[in-house]
Amino acid sequence: QQATRTIVHVSSPATRIIVAIPPWVKQDYGAITNDILANNVQPIIRELATTQQLQLVDMYAVTVNQNDYYVGDNLHLNAKG
């Protein structure tokens, strides 16, 4: 799937749109796995940010292997994360 079409029409140049790479998951949760994030989701989000000239925040890079950033379900971030 390509993220090449325009999905947002911004009428004001002062409008700022930020897209984010989802955080690393401490433990796979159903269909939410690091493999799917890295190989399927991340490339689409990166392409979207590039083609639409949007600011990108990489939550995966700052959370990978940071076990103490997660609550007990190993999926959601705590206050530290």
Side-chain angles (χ1 to χ4, degrees):
Q1 185 176 1
Q2 293 182 343
T4 56
R5 63 181 180 211
T6 301
I7 61 163
V8 178
H9 176 71
V10 179
S11 59
S12 169
T15 301
R16 182 175 170 192
I17 300 173
I18 302 169
V19 293
I21 300 290
W24 173 76
V25 291
K26 184 176 173 182
Q27 179 179 342
D28 291 350
Y29 190 82
I32 303 171
T33 69
N34 287 305
D35 182 59
I36 289 173
L37 289 175
N39 297 312
N40 298 93
V41 177
Q42 288 183 17
I44 292 170
I45 294 172
R46 288 182 194 285
E47 180 183 354
L48 174 71
T50 300
T51 60
Q52 301 300 311
Q53 299 178 352
L54 305 173
Q55 185 174 357
L56 179 67
V57 175
D58 191 346
M59 294 297 298
Y60 191 92
V62 298
T63 57
V64 69
N65 296 320
Q66 298 296 327
N67 294 325
D68 58 332
Y69 285 8
Y70 292 82
V71 296
D73 69 0
N74 295 321
L75 177 67
H76 295 96
L77 299 170
N78 60 25
K80 187 175 182 181

